[in-house]
């Protein structure tokens, strides 16, 4: 048995641990705190401990479990809330009370609950790794597909239908190296990606119901997004909105070093909200990983791996997963803290030199993939990572390393947030490298005008930024009428289209069709105004057009009525303008 | 181990002692240090390895030597005795009474490094606290269980504001036991006297617990003080079902003490010399605010910090803002133009506002009015800087009304007396009154039926 020789915060050094290997999980001290070996040097092993080490002293024992940090995968993951090392927080509360005491243990999956298993294969079928052998109805939304674990292939020797716990044997597979018994649950080491056959190019958008995202900066299913922003700019609200409304099958939300009350908000609101597709509670498609800022820092480092491994498992079933990581900066700070305690040579701003590699390894676990199985099925993981740059300055290492590997950038802007322009995604600085790829989809599935409307709107916003500078110098009145129209339309795009209230019952989700109709109406108005300006009207006359007021109310119109509403608005605008021009003559 | 004394200090560096020959000191263990003069001080183990323990002294190392100073390891981590009798008393940062009264005797001894609340056990804070201050109630609503810091600067009236909040705060329609815990870290005796005087004047002193570490007191005590204060708060909130308001002032001094220890340990510094783990460290203080399902009490925190050089990107306000549920930002410009409280609402925020407002809590139009005021004021302020360049004449007529609005907003909505306790209805109505100078057609943030019900526009 090993003995501890040094304690410094979450880092412990120990001697003589039996058969110790890198990344083995160990149990530290009398309380059996969970730790992981992160460095070996002679007979001394350095361990990062996932719980508070107060009271641990040199001479205390340390035991090797002989296994790497792993998660349990099986039915029951959905609707659960775990800490960074997959301890179920609801179970911990029952056994340990309202505060997380040290040394508590609990199995991630309920060992008592019986699941209804229905085989998809029968005796004699040849199966290989990743193949479905049966299904379990996990929640009202998701059917859990039971797969042959990696590394096993052979002939089904026995398989039974019925009610089973996650540890009971449901199937036996005859393999060249002997019989293998299969249970509903399997284990997977979190630091190893679950391999896929190949990755595909992104083709479909992840529809989020957020106008600025879907229309201007869309993300593809299987894509990666960086969301950097200073505090108060609405990162968390964006992440919450996506978890609520994105059209992925499953959402894995990793609250990594953030606020406790935010996790509580998800826990209280998600069971009440309906999934727009199935009308079932949103919680039924959600897995929560909550390692708040005051929970142990090493477990924070592990939390995003726990999250992505669970996401990969469901991807392997052929589902589309959206993984929210809030915030990757806190994860990077955990790395930095551990690295500092190891007295490693620091890289930029004290972060370890391997920060960039670790970040890109994480984002590389996303993707639209043909998963491991013999039936060529497809699944995807989209990663949306929030970044919290100090002082909002994205020249710092975590933001920069993230931007190098992600393809969509939603730049959250404090000055927009302070005037309550939400979502505060800056339209000039943000980008999406998927846009060109996704135009095809939008043009085909929504409207052929899509790319034209988009370019018109984006062009107007860019032009506005230039004109603003001129206004700063000469004042608004000195502008030619045609440019006043551009300012007018840009303002409408900003206020009546880009701004969207997450707290308004109707506006919180905007269907892609409604987005198109709204923007088309605004762009139509712009074109009409330009025409009538050429016919001699002035902007101050046009401002009197009453139907313009209807544009700002488009947000409040329900999906079913929007088509009629916008058609009517367009007609009224045209009529009023016509009338104005007539009066003038 | 317990009770063994060592006289084997090898180094004394800043607030740190290196004790040799110690084989098994526990991490975070409390030690008692006896000086050659017979005086005793306490400290805590920061790092322990075979042969050496690194001890951080709470207090100064003045008078310590490497030969005769004794270090005794207590065998336990830092704990304090807590009881109801702490109400009305004054303590130092180590929870020792400094008001001349007897020490607290209690069988309840609690570790001061609190365990994290299980996120699953938390209850979403949603009870509106009326502070009687329009900029807070109307636009950055405080709710029970929230942590809402005041970002201030030196010379700004943050203490007056905090005292006013402590005096006026109430939950509408409820009569429950309520207490204030005040933790002072490195503030001047004048500031401390202000608070004590304020609490005495209003009679609040009998339901307050004060922990004082003045600027002349040992800086290392500042690291323990907020933990001691919050441990007391947790006891009163969760064991005694009280609603606790914790005011911590000044967090900047706390962070500086943290930096002092870090640099004495020769750790790799993060931004501006602050340690890389400051985020985690601060979160272990701030995250102790909250409510727990099935328990009656709550802890609401108002930490005060002075931003060095009024710079909000300084690591202290920056990291704080990432942990707390919003911030109230004070502005020197408003202070200069004579507005009290000089709250700049634009960078201020309350993240839990939505849970605490609306129908049944405050009023159904609350969200809309607040958003409309925000956007109108932001617009007005932009135009103010624009008019400084091009002159007011170059602005359009509509722009000039926004300028007027911004002025009225500052002088009527933001400004109020130190004793003025505005009800939430008054605050909301005042918002509508101010908005009514603007064209009704530009009210895009408020619902149409709210305009009809509460709006002050003349009906056509």
């Amino acid at each position: 048995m090993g003995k501890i020789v040094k304690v410094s915060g979450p880092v412990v050094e120990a001697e003589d641990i039996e058969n110790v290997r890198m990344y083995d999980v160990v149990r530290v001290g009398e309380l059996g705190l969970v730790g992981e070996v992160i460095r070996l040097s002679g007979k001394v092993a350095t361990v990062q401990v996932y719980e508070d080490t107060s009271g641990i002293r040199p001479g205390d024992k340390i035991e090797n479990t002989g296994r790497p940090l792993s998660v349990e995968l099986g039915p029951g993951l959905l609707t659960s809330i775990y800490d960074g090392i997959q301890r179920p927080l609801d179970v911990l509360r029952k056994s340990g009370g309202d505060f997380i005491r040290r040394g508590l243990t609990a199995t991630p999956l309920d060992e008592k609950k019986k699941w209804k298993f229905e085989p998809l294969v029968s005796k004699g079928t040849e199966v290989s790794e990743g193949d479905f052998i049966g299904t379990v109805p996990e929640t009202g939304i998701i059917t859990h597909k039971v797969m042959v674990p990696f590394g096993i292939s052979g002939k089904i020797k026995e398989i039974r239908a019925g009610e089973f716990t996650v540890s009971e044997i449901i199937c036996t597979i005859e393999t060249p190296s002997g019989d293998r018994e299969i249970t509903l649950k399997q284990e997977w080491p979190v630091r190893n990606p679950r391999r896929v056959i190949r990755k595909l190019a992104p083709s479909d958008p992840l529809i989020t119901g957020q106008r600025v995202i879907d229309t201007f900066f869309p993300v593809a299913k299987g894509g990666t997004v960086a969301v950097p922003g200073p505090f108060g700019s609405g990162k968390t609200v964006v992440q919450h909105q996506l978890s609520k409304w994105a059209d992925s099958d499953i959402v894995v939300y990793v609250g990594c070093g953030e606020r406790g009350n935010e996790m509580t908000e998800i826990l209280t609101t998600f069971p009440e909200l309906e999934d727009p597709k199935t009308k079932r509670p949103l919680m039924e498609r959600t897995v929560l990983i909550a390692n708040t800022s005051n929970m142990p820092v090493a477990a924070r480092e592990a939390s995003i791996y726990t999250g992505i491994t669970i996401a990969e498992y469901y991807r392997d079933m052929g589902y589309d997963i959206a993984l929210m990581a809030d915030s990757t900066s806190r994860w990077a700070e955990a790395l930095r803290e551990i690295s500092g305690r190891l007295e490693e040579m620091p890289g930029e701003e004290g972060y370890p030199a391997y920060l960039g590699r670790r970040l890109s390894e994480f984002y590389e676990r996303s993707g639209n993939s043909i998963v491991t199985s013999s039936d060529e099925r497809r699944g995807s993981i989209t990663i949306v990572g929030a970044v919290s740059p100090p002082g909002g300055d994205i020249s710092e290492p975590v933001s920069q390393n993230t931007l190098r590997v992600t393809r969509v950038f939603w730049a959250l802007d404090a000055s927009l947030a302070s005037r309550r322009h939400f979502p505060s995604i800056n339209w000039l600085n943000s980008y999406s490298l998927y846009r060109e790829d996704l135009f095809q989809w939008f043009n085909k599935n929504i409207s052929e005008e899509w790319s034209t409307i988009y370019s018109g709107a984006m062009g107007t916003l860019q032009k506005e930024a230039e004109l603003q500078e001129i206004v700063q110098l000469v004042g608004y009145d000195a502008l030619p009428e045609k440019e006043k129209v551009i300012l007018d339309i840009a303002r409408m795009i900003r206020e009546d289209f880009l701004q969207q209230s997450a707290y308004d019952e109707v506006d919180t989700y905007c269907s892609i069709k409604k987005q198109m109709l709204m923007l088309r109406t605004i762009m139509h108005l712009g074109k009409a105004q330009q025409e009538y300006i050429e016919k001699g009207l002035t902007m101050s006359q046009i401002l009197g057009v009453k139907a313009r007021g209807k544009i700002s109310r488009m947000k409040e119109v329900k999906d079913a009525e929007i088509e009629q509403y916008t058609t009517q608005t367009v007609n009224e605008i045209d009529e009023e303008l016509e009338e104005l021009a007539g009066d003038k003559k | 181990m317990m009770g063994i004394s060592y006289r084997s200090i090898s180094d004394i560096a800043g607030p740190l002692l290196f004790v040799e020959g110690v084989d098994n000191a526990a991490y975070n263990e409390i030690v008692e240090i006896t000086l050659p003069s017979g005086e005793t001080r306490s400290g805590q183990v920061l790092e322990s390895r075979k042969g050496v323990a690194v001890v951080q002294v709470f207090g100064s190392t003045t008078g310590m030597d490497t030969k005769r100073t004794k270090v005794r390891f207590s065998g336990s981590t830092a704990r304090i005795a807590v009881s109801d009798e702490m109400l009305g008393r004054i303590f130092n940062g180590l929870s020792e009474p400094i008001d001349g009264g007897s020490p607290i005797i209690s069988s309840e001894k609690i570790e001061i490094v609190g365990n994290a609340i299980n996120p699953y056990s938390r209850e979403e804070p949603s009870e509106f606290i009326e502070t009687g201050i329009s900029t807070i109630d109307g636009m950055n609503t405080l709710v029970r269980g929230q942590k809402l810091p005041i970002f201030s600067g030196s010379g700004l009236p943050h203490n007056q504001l905090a005292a006013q909040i402590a005096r006026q705060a109430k939950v509408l329609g409820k009569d429950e036991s309520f207490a204030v815990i005040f933790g002072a870290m490195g503030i001047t005796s004048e500031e401390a006297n202000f608070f004590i005087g304020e609490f005495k004047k209003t009679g609040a002193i009998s339901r307050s617990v004060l922990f004082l570490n003045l600027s002349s007191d040992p800086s290392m005590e500042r690291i323990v003080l907020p933990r001691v204060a919050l441990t007391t708060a947790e006891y009163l909130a969760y064991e005694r079902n009280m609603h606790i308001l914790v005011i911590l002032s000044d967090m900047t001094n706390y962070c500086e003490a943290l930096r002092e220890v870090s640099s004495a340990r020769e750790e790799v510094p993060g931004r501006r010399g602050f340690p890389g783990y400051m985020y985690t460290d601060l979160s272990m203080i701030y995250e102790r605010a909250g409510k727990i399902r099935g328990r009656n009490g709550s802890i609401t925190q108002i930490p005060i910090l002075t931003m060095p050089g009024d710079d909000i990107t300084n690591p202290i306000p920056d990291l704080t803002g990432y942990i707390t549920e919003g911030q109230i930002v004070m502005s020197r410009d408003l202070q200069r133009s004579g507005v009290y409280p000089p709250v700049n609402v634009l960078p201020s925020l309350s993240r839990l506002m939505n849970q605490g407002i609306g129908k049944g809590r405050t009023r159904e139009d609350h969200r809309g009015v607040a958003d409309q005021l925000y956007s109108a004021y932001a617009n007005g302020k932009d135009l103010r800087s624009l008019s400084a360049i091009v002159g007011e004449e170059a602005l359009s007529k509509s722009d000039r009304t926004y300028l007027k609005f911004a002025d009225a907003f500052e002088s009527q909505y933001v400004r109020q007396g130190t004793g003025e306790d505005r009800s939430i209805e008054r605050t909301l109505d005042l918002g509508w009154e101010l908005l009514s100078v603007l064209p009704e057609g530009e009210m895009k943030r408020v619902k149409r039926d709210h305009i009809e019900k509460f709006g002050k526009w003349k009906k056509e």
Side-chain angles (χ1 to χ4, degrees):
Chain A
M1 190 176 299
K3 269 203 162 58
I4 290 167
V5 293
K6 181 183 168 189
V7 192
S8 168
V11 173
V12 163
E13 284 178 10
E15 283 177 354
D16 305 326
I17 307 178
E18 276 169 38
N19 301 323
V20 64
R21 295 169 303 176
M22 278 298 274
Y23 296 109
D24 273 354
V25 169
V26 292
R27 294 292 193 158
V28 178
E30 291 302 322
L31 287 168
L33 310 181
V34 182
E36 191 181 13
V37 177
I38 51 172
R39 184 198 274 169
L40 290 172
S41 152
K43 58 179 187 170
V44 177
T46 307
V47 173
Q48 62 174 347
V49 185
Y50 292 125
E51 292 172 83
D52 180 34
T53 53
S54 290
I56 299 286
R57 54 180 90 229
D60 282 359
K61 65 171 186 178
I62 187 162
E63 272 175 291
N64 191 359
T65 65
R67 298 189 318 179
L69 188 65
S70 303
V71 288
E72 282 189 5
L73 302 167
L77 289 169
L78 292 171
T79 73
S80 290
I81 173 164
Y82 294 113
D83 76 353
I85 47 173
Q86 216 201 5
R87 294 186 301 180
L89 289 171
D90 49 344
V91 180
L92 290 191
R93 182 187 190 219
K94 271 187 213 129
S95 62
D98 292 327
F99 294 87
I100 301 180
R101 289 186 294 115
R102 298 184 295 155
L104 291 174
T105 50
T107 55
L109 297 172
D110 189 342
E111 290 287 337
K112 294 210 183 80
K113 183 167 171 146
K114 295 255 185 192
W115 298 94
K116 193 165 174 284
F117 172 71
E118 250 181 77
L120 288 173
V121 293
S122 48
K123 193 174 167 180
T125 316
E126 289 283 346
V127 290
S128 63
E129 52 183 13
D131 287 351
F132 293 155
I133 54 171
T135 60
V136 167
E138 187 175 355
T139 66
I141 301 179
I142 298 296
T143 305
H144 195 101
K145 313 280 173 54
V146 182
M147 296 174 286
V148 178
F150 282 28
I152 297 179
S153 53
K155 199 191 285 178
I156 302 279
K157 192 176 175 190
E158 203 192 343
I159 188 162
R160 293 182 298 159
E163 306 251 321
F164 299 97
T165 67
V166 287
S167 296
E168 282 169 341
I169 295 153
I170 48 160
C171 168
T172 313
I173 298 175
E174 207 179 320
T175 73
S177 55
D179 286 1
R180 301 291 291 267
E181 289 169 334
I182 310 293
T183 57
L184 288 178
K185 94 177 163 190
Q186 36 178 293
E187 284 193 5
W188 191 263
V190 296
R191 295 186 194 277
N192 295 359
R194 287 170 69 91
R195 68 190 132 82
V196 295
I197 294 180
R198 64 175 178 277
K199 289 200 173 175
L200 305 170
S203 53
D204 294 358
L206 182 78
I207 303 296
T208 65
Q210 311 304 304
R211 288 186 289 268
V212 59
I213 294 174
D214 293 345
T215 303
F216 284 82
F217 309 105
V219 53
K221 286 198 172 113
T224 49
V225 188
V227 196
F231 61 81
S233 58
K235 285 186 297 297
T236 302
V237 179
V238 167
Q239 296 254 20
H240 282 196
Q241 284 296 88
L242 256 59
S243 340
K244 285 176 191 164
W245 309 122
D247 69 339
S248 61
D249 298 309
I250 288 168
V251 170
V252 178
Y253 193 100
V254 186
C256 171
E258 289 283 311
R259 303 175 183 88
N261 279 332
E262 279 169 1
M263 297 314 293
T264 313
E265 192 189 330
I266 297 184
L267 278 173
T268 43
T269 54
F270 276 35
E272 287 163 18
L273 289 169
E274 273 180 5
D275 173 32
K277 271 188 298 186
T278 56
K279 307 290 170 207
R280 301 280 306 171
L282 270 180
M283 205 58 205
E284 293 191 354
R285 63 161 204 181
T286 311
V287 185
L288 293 177
I289 316 283
N291 210 88
T292 57
S293 52
N294 56 339
M295 283 158 77
V297 66
R300 190 196 298 168
E301 193 270 331
S303 65
I304 70 167
Y305 296 107
T306 300
I308 191 85
T309 309
I310 292 173
E312 285 176 337
Y313 175 64
Y314 281 100
R315 174 205 62 199
D316 291 349
M317 295 180 202
Y319 289 118
D320 291 318
I321 323 294
L323 180 126
M324 311 291 154
D326 188 12
S327 144
T328 55
S329 293
R330 303 301 162 223
W331 170 80
E333 280 165 15
L335 271 191
R336 174 167 71 181
E337 186 170 338
I338 306 283
S339 163
R341 305 259 185 195
L342 292 178
E343 293 169 5
E344 291 174 339
M345 179 69 86
E348 237 180 310
E349 293 196 18
Y351 287 104
Y354 46 80
L355 171 72
R357 170 175 66 81
R358 296 284 287 269
L359 269 170
S360 64
E361 278 169 1
F362 168 67
Y363 280 103
E364 198 49 32
R365 289 174 79 167
S366 68
N368 182 20
S369 317
I370 298 294
V371 301
T372 309
S373 73
S374 46
D375 64 357
E376 289 272 303
R377 64 176 178 268
R378 193 198 62 83
S380 74
I381 299 176
T382 312
I383 298 182
V384 182
V387 184
S388 320
D393 172 11
I394 62 162
S395 64
E396 55 90 41
V398 182
S399 305
Q400 287 305 314
N401 280 306
T402 305
L403 288 176
R404 268 168 40 201
V405 292
T406 52
R407 299 194 62 200
V408 180
F409 171 49
W410 297 332
L412 297 180
D413 186 327
S415 70
L416 289 175
S418 72
R419 59 189 57 220
R420 298 308 187 256
H421 175 118
F422 285 119
S424 66
I425 296 175
N426 185 306
W427 48 92
L428 296 174
N429 299 341
S430 304
Y431 59 79
S432 163
L433 301 180
Y434 296 112
R435 200 172 50 228
E436 299 298 324
D437 297 332
L438 295 176
F439 266 161
Q440 283 180 20
W441 188 95
F442 284 115
N443 283 338
K444 195 170 128 212
N445 290 286
I446 306 300
S447 160
E448 284 170 7
E449 303 164 71
W450 185 275
S451 37
T452 329
I453 295 175
Y454 163 81
S455 334
M458 199 63 205
T460 307
L461 289 171
Q462 276 159 355
K463 187 81 187 151
E464 182 199 29
E466 291 165 25
L467 291 176
Q468 292 288 14
E469 286 176 19
I470 301 176
V471 171
Q472 292 274 342
L473 294 174
V474 299
Y476 173 79
D477 279 341
L479 287 183
E481 294 296 311
K482 286 192 86 162
E483 296 191 335
K484 285 183 185 167
V485 174
I486 292 173
L487 286 182
D488 178 57
I489 297 301
R491 181 171 164 199
M492 281 195 175
I493 297 174
R494 283 190 284 112
E495 293 182 357
D496 304 329
F497 185 78
L498 293 179
Q499 283 181 16
Q500 185 170 0
S501 168
Y503 302 104
D504 185 272
E505 230 168 272
V506 178
D507 201 26
T508 183
Y509 177 83
C510 184
S511 74
I512 194 81
K513 191 176 146 217
K514 182 176 167 187
Q515 299 185 18
M516 195 273 298
L517 289 169
M518 286 174 75
L519 194 56
R520 187 166 72 182
T521 310
I522 297 175
M523 295 317 290
H524 172 85
L525 175 74
K527 227 167 97 192
Q529 290 186 168
Q530 286 293 12
E531 276 168 29
Y532 283 92
I533 291 276
E534 272 170 31
K535 288 182 187 167
L537 289 183
T538 63
M539 199 55 217
S540 54
Q541 288 171 308
I542 289 178
L543 285 176
V545 172
K546 285 209 184 68
R548 284 166 49 93
K550 291 186 80 173
I551 287 194
S552 59
R553 302 281 159 198
M554 286 193 296
K555 291 177 187 174
E556 299 166 19
V557 180
K558 294 213 172 72
D559 240 32
E561 297 142 27
I562 187 73
E563 187 137 22
Q564 197 203 348
Y565 184 91
T566 50
T567 317
Q568 201 188 343
T569 309
V570 165
N571 288 341
E572 284 176 25
I573 288 170
D574 288 347
E575 276 167 30
E576 275 192 69
L577 282 172
E578 185 64 51
E579 216 173 287
L580 261 179
D583 287 352
K584 204 173 171 243
K585 276 176 197 159
Chain B
M1 181 80 222
M2 233 176 96
I4 303 180
S5 292
Y6 291 84
R7 279 196 193 186
S8 46
I9 298 174
S10 66
D11 288 274
I12 305 177
L16 303 183
L17 303 182
F18 293 79
V19 189
E20 286 187 337
V22 189
D23 275 344
N24 55 349
Y27 178 65
N28 275 350
E29 181 173 350
I30 288 295
V31 301
E32 190 185 88
I33 303 150
T34 312
L35 272 59
S37 62
E39 193 189 336
T40 60
R41 294 202 186 123
S42 55
Q44 188 175 21
V45 176
L46 282 187
E47 185 179 308
S48 170
R49 56 179 178 263
K50 262 196 153 145
V52 182
V54 182
V55 172
Q56 173 201 337
V57 183
F58 302 136
S60 86
T61 44
T62 312
M64 292 189 187
D65 70 351
T66 51
K67 286 203 182 99
R68 287 169 298 164
T69 304
K70 272 193 296 193
V71 179
R72 193 178 68 86
F73 289 82
S74 70
S76 81
T77 48
R79 283 164 188 272
I80 56 163
V82 286
S83 89
D84 294 349
E85 280 154 29
M86 295 177 85
L87 288 167
R89 301 282 309 272
I90 305 176
F91 303 88
N92 71 5
L94 304 176
S95 195
E96 296 157 354
I98 49 171
D99 53 2
S102 56
I104 297 299
I105 303 204
S106 164
S107 54
E108 304 241 24
K109 285 209 161 196
I110 307 182
E111 272 198 40
I112 64 162
V113 181
N115 288 323
I117 301 178
N118 186 333
Y120 190 77
S121 293
R122 278 183 185 268
E123 184 176 316
E124 198 176 21
S126 61
E127 283 169 290
F128 164 63
I129 298 181
E130 191 185 87
T131 63
I133 295 159
S134 293
T135 40
I136 296 177
D137 293 351
M139 301 178 74
N140 299 289
T141 315
L142 177 69
V143 295
R144 231 177 218 176
Q146 186 173 11
K147 38 195 182 290
L148 188 65
I150 299 176
F151 286 7
S152 186
S154 37
L156 296 180
H158 41 264
N159 291 335
Q160 281 81 343
L161 182 64
Q164 191 175 1
I165 294 172
R167 194 169 62 231
Q168 296 179 170
K170 58 200 158 290
V171 169
L172 296 179
K174 293 219 176 165
D175 191 23
E176 289 160 322
S177 52
F178 176 78
V180 178
I181 290 188
F182 178 67
M185 290 158 283
I187 64 173
T188 61
S189 51
E190 237 170 278
E191 286 172 296
N193 285 341
F194 167 79
F195 275 104
I196 296 171
E198 191 64 38
F199 289 156
K200 277 193 177 145
K201 204 166 65 192
T202 56
I205 192 92
S206 62
R207 48 179 185 88
S208 310
V209 189
L210 275 63
F211 295 92
L212 299 185
N213 170 276
L214 303 183
S215 39
S216 53
D217 293 336
S219 65
M220 286 307 111
E221 256 181 53
R222 288 167 205 163
I223 294 182
V224 201
L225 187 141
R227 296 186 164 81
V228 168
L230 285 161
T231 304
T232 312
E234 277 171 2
Y235 171 78
L236 294 174
Y238 303 131
E239 304 299 326
R240 289 288 173 266
N241 298 327
M242 297 176 89
H243 294 284
I244 309 293
L245 177 68
V246 180
I247 298 174
L248 298 172
S249 177
D250 175 333
M251 288 307 290
T252 303
N253 296 329
Y254 170 84
C255 292
E256 277 167 4
L258 207 61
R259 177 163 66 180
E260 200 178 326
V261 178
S262 172
S263 78
R265 293 185 70 186
E266 298 177 358
E267 291 171 334
V268 180
R271 283 205 306 148
R272 309 236 175 148
F274 289 105
Y277 50 79
M278 192 158 88
Y279 176 82
T280 308
D281 189 278
L282 284 173
S283 75
M284 290 175 78
I285 295 173
Y286 298 139
E287 278 287 333
R288 288 171 86 171
K291 289 189 73 180
I292 294 180
R293 279 194 277 159
R295 302 202 193 198
N296 278 328
S298 67
I299 297 177
T300 309
Q301 272 190 35
I302 301 190
I304 298 170
L305 58 91
T306 46
M307 300 182 280
D310 292 351
D311 175 13
I312 200 168
T313 67
N314 178 286
I316 301 168
D318 193 53
L319 295 179
T320 299
Y322 275 121
I323 304 165
T324 53
E325 282 131 358
Q327 65 278 338
I328 303 292
V329 183
M330 298 264 209
S331 140
R332 206 166 287 280
D333 286 343
L334 282 173
Q335 159 85 351
R336 269 194 212 114
S337 45
V339 176
Y340 171 88
V343 174
N344 183 0
V345 294
L346 296 183
S348 299
L349 172 73
S350 163
R351 291 167 190 272
L352 300 182
M353 179 165 177
N354 285 307
Q355 275 91 299
I357 62 169
K359 205 170 179 172
R361 297 204 163 93
T362 53
R363 215 164 75 180
E364 64 264 38
D365 56 327
H366 195 152
R367 176 84 258 165
V369 182
D371 284 350
Q372 192 68 61
L373 287 170
Y374 263 112
S375 97
Y377 181 56
N379 193 12
K381 277 195 77 165
D382 280 354
L383 290 165
R384 196 183 280 169
S385 46
L386 180 61
S387 79
I389 305 171
V390 298
E392 208 174 316
E393 293 70 29
L395 297 180
S396 67
K397 193 178 148 216
S398 127
D399 285 351
R400 283 199 291 267
T401 55
Y402 273 96
L403 271 185
K404 229 180 265 161
F405 167 82
D407 292 340
F409 178 79
E410 284 170 6
S411 64
Q412 293 172 45
Y413 192 90
V414 179
R415 183 204 300 267
Q416 64 187 91
T418 44
E420 189 182 348
D421 190 357
R422 273 187 207 153
S423 73
I424 181 67
E425 277 78 25
R426 180 70 205 113
T427 292
L428 292 173
D429 288 342
L430 185 60
W432 283 107
E433 278 164 33
L434 293 171
L435 287 172
S436 68
V437 303
L438 302 170
E440 192 183 330
E442 300 203 1
M443 299 296 111
K444 292 186 176 176
R445 305 300 184 89
V446 281
K447 288 218 161 84
R448 187 127 300 270
D449 37 335
H450 293 162
I451 295 184
E452 312 222 315
K453 193 166 167 195
F454 302 104
K456 312 275 180 194
W457 286 270
K458 290 198 184 77
K459 297 275 178 314
E460 282 170 31

